[in-house]
Amino acid sequence: MRDNISNVQAIEQVFVDSYFNDLSVAEVFTEKKHEEINNAMNGFSNLQKGLSGIDAAGIDENLQSDYKIIQTRLNARVEGFKKSVDFYNTLYTAYNTSNTDGLTELVKSDDYYTALISERFYDYITEQNELWAVISENNCSLAAGVEATEVCATAVASWMDNINSLQNSTVAVSAIFDMLSIEEIGELFNTEDIDNIETILITPYINKMIGEEK
């Protein structure tokens, strides 16, 4: 637990921030954040696997209640978290390579959010590629204040607007890391009292177990 507490905290924070629309595409779709999320997910999964073979009966009696909460929540959430991170990784690759191949089947998904967000990224990449072709063919400058033809002005403006629209989106991130798609968490989130957020997390219980309660 001590080895993976930071990973559990990091991945939980991503889902919590996403739920409250506190993360934008611009913040999440960077190389650094991509690495952080995947490292955190690996640590979360490793802890879940490591604790799955340790029965609560082997834990000190005064720690058994907290241990059971940790184990239950790890088991309940690992699959949903992993599914969201895998989806994020597919979108991240498409977004950073301007290639929609990995999104073709996801657009047809029976899952509403998967299809919706996949289509959002598919349309974005397709439009950007088309606009970039116009910009390149006409040797348009991306620099502000440079005199431009009507074709260039329109293409560059649309290209920039498209980027800003997606990068500023927090709704897209909320749909990718969708806590409400994980039933156990969704039930707990059906409250307007966000001060209760600590009650659904795993991190505070791990801190208690390892003697670092905050």
Side-chain angles (χ1 to χ4, degrees):
M1 289 187 192
R2 193 179 301 278
D3 289 342
N4 284 290
I5 178 67
S6 61
N7 289 319
V8 174
Q9 184 174 25
I11 199 68
E12 284 191 317
Q13 197 63 53
V14 168
F15 279 87
V16 170
D17 288 346
S18 298
Y19 178 83
F20 291 115
N21 289 316
D22 288 335
L23 285 176
S24 67
V25 169
E27 293 171 299
V28 173
F29 280 73
T30 65
E31 184 177 357
K32 180 180 179 181
K33 195 65 175 179
H34 179 252
E35 184 176 357
E36 288 177 358
I37 289 173
N38 279 276
N39 286 340
M41 187 65 241
N42 287 336
F44 190 96
S45 297
N46 289 338
L47 182 59
Q48 184 271 330
K49 291 175 184 176
L51 297 187
S52 63
I54 303 176
D55 191 87
I59 305 296
D60 289 347
E61 189 173 347
N62 64 324
L63 297 175
Q64 285 185 13
S65 176
D66 290 333
Y67 178 78
K68 288 178 181 177
I69 291 173
I70 293 168
Q71 195 175 51
T72 299
R73 291 185 180 183
L74 285 169
N75 291 341
R77 299 173 189 181
V78 66
E79 185 176 346
F81 279 15
K82 181 68 164 56
K83 181 180 178 182
S84 290
V85 172
D86 286 345
F87 181 39
Y88 159 69
N89 285 336
T90 299
L91 295 172
Y92 176 87
T93 298
Y95 178 80
N96 283 282
T97 61
S98 298
N99 190 320
T100 60
D101 290 349
L103 305 179
T104 305
E105 291 302 316
L106 291 177
V107 171
K108 306 173 187 175
S109 174
D110 292 331
D111 180 79
Y112 174 76
Y113 283 122
T114 298
L116 180 69
I117 300 305
S118 297
E119 184 174 12
R120 175 73 176 90
F121 275 77
Y122 184 97
D123 290 346
Y124 165 81
I125 294 168
T126 300
E127 184 174 354
Q128 287 301 86
N129 288 341
E130 291 173 351
L131 288 169
W132 188 252
V134 174
I135 291 170
S136 298
E137 289 170 5
N138 291 275
N139 295 316
C140 302
S141 173
L142 300 180
V146 176
E147 187 175 348
T149 63
E150 183 177 349
V151 170
C152 282
T154 300
V156 171
S158 297
W159 188 76
M160 293 300 300
D161 287 345
N162 203 26
I163 291 175
N164 292 332
S165 176
L166 183 61
Q167 286 196 344
N168 291 330
S169 175
T170 59
V171 174
V173 178
S174 293
I176 296 167
F177 299 102
D178 180 24
M179 294 191 86
L180 292 180
S181 69
I182 304 168
E183 184 177 357
E184 183 241 357
I185 295 176
E187 291 174 354
L188 288 167
F189 258 122
N190 287 331
T191 174
E192 295 181 359
D193 184 7
I194 63 172
D195 291 335
N196 286 335
I197 189 70
E198 290 291 315
T199 65
I200 72 159
L201 301 178
I202 302 170
T203 304
Y205 292 93
I206 294 179
N207 279 325
K208 288 172 67 177
M209 286 284 294
I210 64 177
E212 295 183 5
E213 185 175 7
K214 297 179 180 179

PDB file of all heavy atoms in Angstrom, residues 66-95:
ATOM      1  N   ASP A  66     -11.197  -1.228   7.735  1.00  0.00           N
ATOM      2  CA  ASP A  66     -10.623  -0.361   6.704  1.00  0.00           C
ATOM      3  C   ASP A  66     -10.062  -1.184   5.556  1.00  0.00           C
ATOM      4  O   ASP A  66     -10.181  -0.802   4.384  1.00  0.00           O
ATOM      5  CB  ASP A  66      -9.516   0.519   7.295  1.00  0.00           C
ATOM      6  CG  ASP A  66     -10.062   1.581   8.237  1.00  0.00           C
ATOM      7  OD1 ASP A  66     -11.225   1.982   8.056  1.00  0.00           O
ATOM      8  OD2 ASP A  66      -9.317   1.990   9.151  1.00  0.00           O
ATOM      9  N   TYR A  67      -9.442  -2.308   5.890  1.00  0.00           N
ATOM     10  CA  TYR A  67      -8.856  -3.161   4.850  1.00  0.00           C
ATOM     11  C   TYR A  67      -9.940  -3.683   3.908  1.00  0.00           C
ATOM     12  O   TYR A  67      -9.750  -3.705   2.689  1.00  0.00           O
ATOM     13  CB  TYR A  67      -8.094  -4.329   5.471  1.00  0.00           C
ATOM     14  CG  TYR A  67      -7.503  -5.262   4.443  1.00  0.00           C
ATOM     15  CD1 TYR A  67      -6.335  -4.916   3.759  1.00  0.00           C
ATOM     16  CD2 TYR A  67      -8.128  -6.466   4.113  1.00  0.00           C
ATOM     17  CE1 TYR A  67      -5.808  -5.745   2.791  1.00  0.00           C
ATOM     18  CE2 TYR A  67      -7.594  -7.300   3.146  1.00  0.00           C
ATOM     19  CZ  TYR A  67      -6.437  -6.944   2.495  1.00  0.00           C
ATOM     20  OH  TYR A  67      -5.914  -7.762   1.524  1.00  0.00           O
ATOM     21  N   LYS A  68     -11.060  -4.087   4.466  1.00  0.00           N
ATOM     22  CA  LYS A  68     -12.157  -4.615   3.642  1.00  0.00           C
ATOM     23  C   LYS A  68     -12.690  -3.536   2.693  1.00  0.00           C
ATOM     24  O   LYS A  68     -13.034  -3.825   1.546  1.00  0.00           O
ATOM     25  CB  LYS A  68     -13.284  -5.142   4.534  1.00  0.00           C
ATOM     26  CG  LYS A  68     -12.957  -6.439   5.249  1.00  0.00           C
ATOM     27  CD  LYS A  68     -14.101  -6.865   6.159  1.00  0.00           C
ATOM     28  CE  LYS A  68     -13.755  -8.160   6.892  1.00  0.00           C
ATOM     29  NZ  LYS A  68     -14.843  -8.550   7.839  1.00  0.00           N
ATOM     30  N   ILE A  69     -12.764  -2.300   3.183  1.00  0.00           N
ATOM     31  CA  ILE A  69     -13.215  -1.197   2.325  1.00  0.00           C
ATOM     32  C   ILE A  69     -12.247  -1.000   1.173  1.00  0.00           C
ATOM     33  O   ILE A  69     -12.647  -0.856   0.018  1.00  0.00           O
ATOM     34  CB  ILE A  69     -13.350   0.101   3.152  1.00  0.00           C
ATOM     35  CG1 ILE A  69     -14.526  -0.015   4.119  1.00  0.00           C
ATOM     36  CG2 ILE A  69     -13.535   1.308   2.221  1.00  0.00           C
ATOM     37  CD1 ILE A  69     -14.637   1.153   5.081  1.00  0.00           C
ATOM     38  N   ILE A  70     -10.949  -0.997   1.481  1.00  0.00           N
ATOM     39  CA  ILE A  70      -9.920  -0.825   0.449  1.00  0.00           C
ATOM     40  C   ILE A  70     -10.024  -1.931  -0.587  1.00  0.00           C
ATOM     41  O   ILE A  70     -10.046  -1.675  -1.799  1.00  0.00           O
ATOM     42  CB  ILE A  70      -8.512  -0.820   1.082  1.00  0.00           C
ATOM     43  CG1 ILE A  70      -8.324   0.418   1.951  1.00  0.00           C
ATOM     44  CG2 ILE A  70      -7.434  -0.870  -0.008  1.00  0.00           C
ATOM     45  CD1 ILE A  70      -7.092   0.371   2.828  1.00  0.00           C
ATOM     46  N   GLN A  71     -10.075  -3.163  -0.116  1.00  0.00           N
ATOM     47  CA  GLN A  71     -10.097  -4.307  -1.020  1.00  0.00           C
ATOM     48  C   GLN A  71     -11.357  -4.316  -1.880  1.00  0.00           C
ATOM     49  O   GLN A  71     -11.298  -4.540  -3.095  1.00  0.00           O
ATOM     50  CB  GLN A  71     -10.008  -5.603  -0.202  1.00  0.00           C
ATOM     51  CG  GLN A  71      -9.667  -6.839  -1.034  1.00  0.00           C
ATOM     52  CD  GLN A  71      -9.468  -8.047  -0.145  1.00  0.00           C
ATOM     53  OE1 GLN A  71     -10.310  -8.363   0.700  1.00  0.00           O
ATOM     54  NE2 GLN A  71      -8.355  -8.742  -0.327  1.00  0.00           N
ATOM     55  N   THR A  72     -12.494  -4.034  -1.266  1.00  0.00           N
ATOM     56  CA  THR A  72     -13.770  -4.022  -1.994  1.00  0.00           C
ATOM     57  C   THR A  72     -13.794  -2.947  -3.070  1.00  0.00           C
ATOM     58  O   THR A  72     -14.226  -3.186  -4.202  1.00  0.00           O
ATOM     59  CB  THR A  72     -14.944  -3.798  -1.020  1.00  0.00           C
ATOM     60  OG1 THR A  72     -14.986  -4.868  -0.079  1.00  0.00           O
ATOM     61  CG2 THR A  72     -16.267  -3.733  -1.768  1.00  0.00           C
ATOM     62  N   ARG A  73     -13.295  -1.768  -2.723  1.00  0.00           N
ATOM     63  CA  ARG A  73     -13.329  -0.661  -3.683  1.00  0.00           C
ATOM     64  C   ARG A  73     -12.312  -0.854  -4.806  1.00  0.00           C
ATOM     65  O   ARG A  73     -12.584  -0.504  -5.952  1.00  0.00           O
ATOM     66  CB  ARG A  73     -13.099   0.672  -2.957  1.00  0.00           C
ATOM     67  CG  ARG A  73     -14.278   1.030  -2.058  1.00  0.00           C
ATOM     68  CD  ARG A  73     -14.143   2.397  -1.411  1.00  0.00           C
ATOM     69  NE  ARG A  73     -15.310   2.662  -0.578  1.00  0.00           N
ATOM     70  CZ  ARG A  73     -15.531   3.792   0.074  1.00  0.00           C
ATOM     71  NH1 ARG A  73     -14.645   4.785  -0.008  1.00  0.00           N
ATOM     72  NH2 ARG A  73     -16.612   3.951   0.806  1.00  0.00           N
ATOM     73  N   LEU A  74     -11.166  -1.398  -4.485  1.00  0.00           N
ATOM     74  CA  LEU A  74     -10.192  -1.710  -5.543  1.00  0.00           C
ATOM     75  C   LEU A  74     -10.793  -2.706  -6.526  1.00  0.00           C
ATOM     76  O   LEU A  74     -10.716  -2.520  -7.744  1.00  0.00           O
ATOM     77  CB  LEU A  74      -8.909  -2.280  -4.940  1.00  0.00           C
ATOM     78  CG  LEU A  74      -7.957  -1.308  -4.247  1.00  0.00           C
ATOM     79  CD1 LEU A  74      -6.885  -2.075  -3.480  1.00  0.00           C
ATOM     80  CD2 LEU A  74      -7.303  -0.366  -5.250  1.00  0.00           C
ATOM     81  N   ASN A  75     -11.400  -3.758  -5.992  1.00  0.00           N
ATOM     82  CA  ASN A  75     -11.987  -4.805  -6.839  1.00  0.00           C
ATOM     83  C   ASN A  75     -13.141  -4.259  -7.680  1.00  0.00           C
ATOM     84  O   ASN A  75     -13.294  -4.625  -8.852  1.00  0.00           O
ATOM     85  CB  ASN A  75     -12.494  -5.966  -5.980  1.00  0.00           C
ATOM     86  CG  ASN A  75     -11.375  -6.747  -5.331  1.00  0.00           C
ATOM     87  OD1 ASN A  75     -10.221  -6.684  -5.765  1.00  0.00           O
ATOM     88  ND2 ASN A  75     -11.682  -7.479  -4.271  1.00  0.00           N
ATOM     89  N   ALA A  76     -13.935  -3.375  -7.081  1.00  0.00           N
ATOM     90  CA  ALA A  76     -15.124  -2.849  -7.775  1.00  0.00           C
ATOM     91  C   ALA A  76     -14.771  -1.855  -8.867  1.00  0.00           C
ATOM     92  O   ALA A  76     -15.491  -1.742  -9.862  1.00  0.00           O
ATOM     93  CB  ALA A  76     -16.062  -2.190  -6.762  1.00  0.00           C
ATOM     94  N   ARG A  77     -13.647  -1.166  -8.703  1.00  0.00           N
ATOM     95  CA  ARG A  77     -13.349  -0.054  -9.599  1.00  0.00           C
ATOM     96  C   ARG A  77     -12.276  -0.333 -10.637  1.00  0.00           C
ATOM     97  O   ARG A  77     -12.180   0.380 -11.630  1.00  0.00           O
ATOM     98  CB  ARG A  77     -12.959   1.177  -8.772  1.00  0.00           C
ATOM     99  CG  ARG A  77     -14.080   1.610  -7.858  1.00  0.00           C
ATOM    100  CD  ARG A  77     -13.685   2.707  -6.897  1.00  0.00           C
ATOM    101  NE  ARG A  77     -14.750   2.920  -5.924  1.00  0.00           N
ATOM    102  CZ  ARG A  77     -14.725   3.813  -4.962  1.00  0.00           C
ATOM    103  NH1 ARG A  77     -13.668   4.609  -4.816  1.00  0.00           N
ATOM    104  NH2 ARG A  77     -15.729   3.934  -4.125  1.00  0.00           N
ATOM    105  N   VAL A  78     -11.444  -1.336 -10.421  1.00  0.00           N
ATOM    106  CA  VAL A  78     -10.290  -1.523 -11.297  1.00  0.00           C
ATOM    107  C   VAL A  78     -10.694  -1.733 -12.757  1.00  0.00           C
ATOM    108  O   VAL A  78     -10.083  -1.168 -13.666  1.00  0.00           O
ATOM    109  CB  VAL A  78      -9.387  -2.681 -10.796  1.00  0.00           C
ATOM    110  CG1 VAL A  78     -10.105  -4.027 -10.891  1.00  0.00           C
ATOM    111  CG2 VAL A  78      -8.059  -2.694 -11.544  1.00  0.00           C
ATOM    112  N   GLU A  79     -11.731  -2.506 -12.991  1.00  0.00           N
ATOM    113  CA  GLU A  79     -12.149  -2.786 -14.371  1.00  0.00           C
ATOM    114  C   GLU A  79     -12.686  -1.533 -15.057  1.00  0.00           C
ATOM    115  O   GLU A  79     -12.338  -1.233 -16.204  1.00  0.00           O
ATOM    116  CB  GLU A  79     -13.216  -3.882 -14.396  1.00  0.00           C
ATOM    117  CG  GLU A  79     -13.609  -4.305 -15.802  1.00  0.00           C
ATOM    118  CD  GLU A  79     -14.608  -5.456 -15.816  1.00  0.00           C
ATOM    119  OE1 GLU A  79     -14.799  -6.100 -14.769  1.00  0.00           O
ATOM    120  OE2 GLU A  79     -15.198  -5.712 -16.893  1.00  0.00           O
ATOM    121  N   GLY A  80     -13.520  -0.766 -14.343  1.00  0.00           N
ATOM    122  CA  GLY A  80     -14.073   0.458 -14.917  1.00  0.00           C
ATOM    123  C   GLY A  80     -13.007   1.506 -15.156  1.00  0.00           C
ATOM    124  O   GLY A  80     -13.009   2.180 -16.190  1.00  0.00           O
ATOM    125  N   PHE A  81     -12.097   1.642 -14.209  1.00  0.00           N
ATOM    126  CA  PHE A  81     -10.995   2.595 -14.378  1.00  0.00           C
ATOM    127  C   PHE A  81     -10.134   2.221 -15.585  1.00  0.00           C
ATOM    128  O   PHE A  81      -9.757   3.058 -16.386  1.00  0.00           O
ATOM    129  CB  PHE A  81     -10.137   2.621 -13.114  1.00  0.00           C
ATOM    130  CG  PHE A  81     -10.687   3.469 -11.996  1.00  0.00           C
ATOM    131  CD1 PHE A  81     -12.006   3.909 -11.996  1.00  0.00           C
ATOM    132  CD2 PHE A  81      -9.887   3.832 -10.928  1.00  0.00           C
ATOM    133  CE1 PHE A  81     -12.509   4.691 -10.966  1.00  0.00           C
ATOM    134  CE2 PHE A  81     -10.367   4.617  -9.886  1.00  0.00           C
ATOM    135  CZ  PHE A  81     -11.689   5.046  -9.910  1.00  0.00           C
ATOM    136  N   LYS A  82      -9.819   0.930 -15.674  1.00  0.00           N
ATOM    137  CA  LYS A  82      -8.960   0.446 -16.768  1.00  0.00           C
ATOM    138  C   LYS A  82      -9.640   0.676 -18.120  1.00  0.00           C
ATOM    139  O   LYS A  82      -8.985   1.082 -19.099  1.00  0.00           O
ATOM    140  CB  LYS A  82      -8.676  -1.039 -16.574  1.00  0.00           C
ATOM    141  CG  LYS A  82      -7.765  -1.676 -17.627  1.00  0.00           C
ATOM    142  CD  LYS A  82      -6.350  -1.147 -17.534  1.00  0.00           C
ATOM    143  CE  LYS A  82      -5.359  -2.007 -18.284  1.00  0.00           C
ATOM    144  NZ  LYS A  82      -5.676  -2.198 -19.690  1.00  0.00           N
ATOM    145  N   LYS A  83     -10.931   0.439 -18.189  1.00  0.00           N
ATOM    146  CA  LYS A  83     -11.666   0.646 -19.440  1.00  0.00           C
ATOM    147  C   LYS A  83     -11.600   2.109 -19.864  1.00  0.00           C
ATOM    148  O   LYS A  83     -11.388   2.421 -21.043  1.00  0.00           O
ATOM    149  CB  LYS A  83     -13.128   0.217 -19.259  1.00  0.00           C
ATOM    150  CG  LYS A  83     -13.978   0.382 -20.512  1.00  0.00           C
ATOM    151  CD  LYS A  83     -15.412  -0.068 -20.264  1.00  0.00           C
ATOM    152  CE  LYS A  83     -16.272   0.138 -21.501  1.00  0.00           C
ATOM    153  NZ  LYS A  83     -17.691  -0.252 -21.254  1.00  0.00           N
ATOM    154  N   SER A  84     -11.755   3.009 -18.906  1.00  0.00           N
ATOM    155  CA  SER A  84     -11.698   4.436 -19.213  1.00  0.00           C
ATOM    156  C   SER A  84     -10.307   4.855 -19.673  1.00  0.00           C
ATOM    157  O   SER A  84     -10.169   5.638 -20.619  1.00  0.00           O
ATOM    158  CB  SER A  84     -12.092   5.256 -17.978  1.00  0.00           C
ATOM    159  OG  SER A  84     -13.463   5.114 -17.691  1.00  0.00           O
ATOM    160  N   VAL A  85      -9.277   4.342 -19.011  1.00  0.00           N
ATOM    161  CA  VAL A  85      -7.904   4.695 -19.378  1.00  0.00           C
ATOM    162  C   VAL A  85      -7.557   4.136 -20.759  1.00  0.00           C
ATOM    163  O   VAL A  85      -6.887   4.794 -21.556  1.00  0.00           O
ATOM    164  CB  VAL A  85      -6.897   4.209 -18.314  1.00  0.00           C
ATOM    165  CG1 VAL A  85      -5.457   4.415 -18.790  1.00  0.00           C
ATOM    166  CG2 VAL A  85      -7.121   4.965 -17.001  1.00  0.00           C
ATOM    167  N   ASP A  86      -8.022   2.928 -21.057  1.00  0.00           N
ATOM    168  CA  ASP A  86      -7.793   2.351 -22.389  1.00  0.00           C
ATOM    169  C   ASP A  86      -8.457   3.214 -23.468  1.00  0.00           C
ATOM    170  O   ASP A  86      -7.878   3.442 -24.542  1.00  0.00           O
ATOM    171  CB  ASP A  86      -8.343   0.925 -22.463  1.00  0.00           C
ATOM    172  CG  ASP A  86      -7.481  -0.082 -21.714  1.00  0.00           C
ATOM    173  OD1 ASP A  86      -6.319   0.249 -21.385  1.00  0.00           O
ATOM    174  OD2 ASP A  86      -7.964  -1.200 -21.461  1.00  0.00           O
ATOM    175  N   PHE A  87      -9.655   3.676 -23.189  1.00  0.00           N
ATOM    176  CA  PHE A  87     -10.379   4.554 -24.124  1.00  0.00           C
ATOM    177  C   PHE A  87      -9.613   5.858 -24.303  1.00  0.00           C
ATOM    178  O   PHE A  87      -9.424   6.340 -25.430  1.00  0.00           O
ATOM    179  CB  PHE A  87     -11.792   4.807 -23.590  1.00  0.00           C
ATOM    180  CG  PHE A  87     -12.657   5.672 -24.455  1.00  0.00           C
ATOM    181  CD1 PHE A  87     -12.625   5.568 -25.844  1.00  0.00           C
ATOM    182  CD2 PHE A  87     -13.542   6.586 -23.885  1.00  0.00           C
ATOM    183  CE1 PHE A  87     -13.437   6.361 -26.649  1.00  0.00           C
ATOM    184  CE2 PHE A  87     -14.353   7.373 -24.667  1.00  0.00           C
ATOM    185  CZ  PHE A  87     -14.306   7.269 -26.053  1.00  0.00           C
ATOM    186  N   TYR A  88      -9.159   6.410 -23.207  1.00  0.00           N
ATOM    187  CA  TYR A  88      -8.358   7.633 -23.241  1.00  0.00           C
ATOM    188  C   TYR A  88      -7.101   7.430 -24.081  1.00  0.00           C
ATOM    189  O   TYR A  88      -6.736   8.299 -24.883  1.00  0.00           O
ATOM    190  CB  TYR A  88      -8.000   8.031 -21.811  1.00  0.00           C
ATOM    191  CG  TYR A  88      -6.806   8.951 -21.672  1.00  0.00           C
ATOM    192  CD1 TYR A  88      -6.857  10.276 -22.109  1.00  0.00           C
ATOM    193  CD2 TYR A  88      -5.622   8.503 -21.092  1.00  0.00           C
ATOM    194  CE1 TYR A  88      -5.762  11.126 -21.969  1.00  0.00           C
ATOM    195  CE2 TYR A  88      -4.530   9.339 -20.941  1.00  0.00           C
ATOM    196  CZ  TYR A  88      -4.596  10.646 -21.381  1.00  0.00           C
ATOM    197  OH  TYR A  88      -3.508  11.474 -21.245  1.00  0.00           O
ATOM    198  N   ASN A  89      -6.433   6.295 -23.926  1.00  0.00           N
ATOM    199  CA  ASN A  89      -5.210   6.024 -24.682  1.00  0.00           C
ATOM    200  C   ASN A  89      -5.477   5.970 -26.184  1.00  0.00           C
ATOM    201  O   ASN A  89      -4.662   6.449 -26.985  1.00  0.00           O
ATOM    202  CB  ASN A  89      -4.585   4.702 -24.223  1.00  0.00           C
ATOM    203  CG  ASN A  89      -3.900   4.827 -22.875  1.00  0.00           C
ATOM    204  OD1 ASN A  89      -3.489   5.905 -22.466  1.00  0.00           O
ATOM    205  ND2 ASN A  89      -3.780   3.721 -22.165  1.00  0.00           N
ATOM    206  N   THR A  90      -6.610   5.401 -26.573  1.00  0.00           N
ATOM    207  CA  THR A  90      -6.967   5.339 -27.990  1.00  0.00           C
ATOM    208  C   THR A  90      -7.200   6.747 -28.542  1.00  0.00           C
ATOM    209  O   THR A  90      -6.722   7.098 -29.628  1.00  0.00           O
ATOM    210  CB  THR A  90      -8.233   4.487 -28.187  1.00  0.00           C
ATOM    211  OG1 THR A  90      -7.984   3.154 -27.738  1.00  0.00           O
ATOM    212  CG2 THR A  90      -8.633   4.437 -29.664  1.00  0.00           C
ATOM    213  N   LEU A  91      -7.932   7.549 -27.784  1.00  0.00           N
ATOM    214  CA  LEU A  91      -8.187   8.929 -28.195  1.00  0.00           C
ATOM    215  C   LEU A  91      -6.895   9.739 -28.229  1.00  0.00           C
ATOM    216  O   LEU A  91      -6.684  10.551 -29.141  1.00  0.00           O
ATOM    217  CB  LEU A  91      -9.180   9.589 -27.238  1.00  0.00           C
ATOM    218  CG  LEU A  91     -10.598   9.018 -27.220  1.00  0.00           C
ATOM    219  CD1 LEU A  91     -11.404   9.649 -26.086  1.00  0.00           C
ATOM    220  CD2 LEU A  91     -11.302   9.247 -28.552  1.00  0.00           C
ATOM    221  N   TYR A  92      -6.037   9.508 -27.251  1.00  0.00           N
ATOM    222  CA  TYR A  92      -4.764  10.229 -27.168  1.00  0.00           C
ATOM    223  C   TYR A  92      -3.913   9.963 -28.410  1.00  0.00           C
ATOM    224  O   TYR A  92      -3.333  10.887 -28.989  1.00  0.00           O
ATOM    225  CB  TYR A  92      -4.014   9.794 -25.911  1.00  0.00           C
ATOM    226  CG  TYR A  92      -2.635  10.403 -25.763  1.00  0.00           C
ATOM    227  CD1 TYR A  92      -2.459  11.634 -25.146  1.00  0.00           C
ATOM    228  CD2 TYR A  92      -1.506   9.745 -26.256  1.00  0.00           C
ATOM    229  CE1 TYR A  92      -1.199  12.209 -25.011  1.00  0.00           C
ATOM    230  CE2 TYR A  92      -0.244  10.303 -26.134  1.00  0.00           C
ATOM    231  CZ  TYR A  92      -0.092  11.528 -25.509  1.00  0.00           C
ATOM    232  OH  TYR A  92       1.163  12.083 -25.386  1.00  0.00           O
ATOM    233  N   THR A  93      -3.844   8.704 -28.826  1.00  0.00           N
ATOM    234  CA  THR A  93      -3.061   8.338 -30.010  1.00  0.00           C
ATOM    235  C   THR A  93      -3.636   8.997 -31.252  1.00  0.00           C
ATOM    236  O   THR A  93      -2.901   9.569 -32.069  1.00  0.00           O
ATOM    237  CB  THR A  93      -3.038   6.810 -30.191  1.00  0.00           C
ATOM    238  OG1 THR A  93      -2.403   6.207 -29.054  1.00  0.00           O
ATOM    239  CG2 THR A  93      -2.280   6.420 -31.449  1.00  0.00           C
ATOM    240  N   ALA A  94      -4.959   8.934 -31.401  1.00  0.00           N
ATOM    241  CA  ALA A  94      -5.606   9.544 -32.565  1.00  0.00           C
ATOM    242  C   ALA A  94      -5.375  11.056 -32.575  1.00  0.00           C
ATOM    243  O   ALA A  94      -5.038  11.642 -33.608  1.00  0.00           O
ATOM    244  CB  ALA A  94      -7.101   9.242 -32.538  1.00  0.00           C
ATOM    245  N   TYR A  95      -5.537  11.673 -31.424  1.00  0.00           N
ATOM    246  CA  TYR A  95      -5.400  13.129 -31.285  1.00  0.00           C
ATOM    247  C   TYR A  95      -3.994  13.600 -31.619  1.00  0.00           C
ATOM    248  O   TYR A  95      -3.812  14.613 -32.290  1.00  0.00           O
ATOM    249  CB  TYR A  95      -5.770  13.500 -29.852  1.00  0.00           C
ATOM    250  CG  TYR A  95      -5.647  14.964 -29.495  1.00  0.00           C
ATOM    251  CD1 TYR A  95      -6.644  15.867 -29.844  1.00  0.00           C
ATOM    252  CD2 TYR A  95      -4.545  15.433 -28.782  1.00  0.00           C
ATOM    253  CE1 TYR A  95      -6.542  17.212 -29.497  1.00  0.00           C
ATOM    254  CE2 TYR A  95      -4.436  16.773 -28.433  1.00  0.00           C
ATOM    255  CZ  TYR A  95      -5.439  17.653 -28.791  1.00  0.00           C
ATOM    256  OH  TYR A  95      -5.324  18.975 -28.441  1.00  0.00           O
TER     257      TYR A  95
END
